[in-house]
């Protein structure tokens, strides 16, 4: 709440993605890294989906650059470059 006071109002797209994320987490909160990856692949609120694709190809358009899932207890993390529905998740070696 304190940050909301100083931030700009969220865009319609950001609000749509946030609302979809909240609904998914209430419906089926992920308990595994794979389930968290599925949430990040979601297109349920298209065209403002969590897994947002560029429709115009213009660099200033909002799109997913990468997705990241962390399993803190196990010290593991996975990265999907670009849209996670199109690119495989790769486990990142924490020793790098």
């Amino acid at each position: 709440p304190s940050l909301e006071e100083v931030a700009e109002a969220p865009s319609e797209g950001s609000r749509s993605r946030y609302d979809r994320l909240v609904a998914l987490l209430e419906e089926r909160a992920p308990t595994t890294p794979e389930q968290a990856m599925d949430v990040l692949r979601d297109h349920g609120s298209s065209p403002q989906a969590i897994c947002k694709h560029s429709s115009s190809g213009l660099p200033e358009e909002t799109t997913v650059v990468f997705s990241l899932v962390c399993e803190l207890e196990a010290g593991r993390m996975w990265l999907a470059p670009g849209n996670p529905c199109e690119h495989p998740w790769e486990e990142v070696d924490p020793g790098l």
Side-chain angles (χ1 to χ4, degrees):
S2 63
L3 291 177
E4 188 174 14
E5 295 172 9
V6 297
E8 293 183 28
S11 68
E12 183 178 324
S14 291
R15 177 55 66 188
S16 174
R17 288 187 295 278
Y18 176 77
D19 290 345
R20 176 67 177 165
L21 179 61
V22 169
L24 287 174
L25 295 178
E26 288 175 353
E27 177 184 307
R28 54 181 163 103
T31 58
T32 67
E34 292 76 18
Q35 291 171 349
M37 293 171 194
D38 284 342
V39 169
L40 294 174
R41 290 183 188 106
D42 184 77
H43 295 100
S45 58
S46 289
Q48 295 296 335
I50 293 169
C51 185
K52 174 88 170 77
H53 294 256
S54 172
S55 58
S56 68
L58 297 173
E60 64 274 6
E61 185 177 3
T62 301
T63 188
V64 172
V65 176
F66 69 91
S67 295
L68 183 70
V69 169
C70 298
E71 186 178 30
L72 299 177
E73 295 83 11
R76 299 171 70 194
M77 66 182 179
W78 296 263
L79 177 74
N83 291 87
C85 69
E86 296 177 340
H87 299 278
W89 289 87
E90 298 176 20
E91 188 166 358
V92 177
D93 182 354
L96 294 177

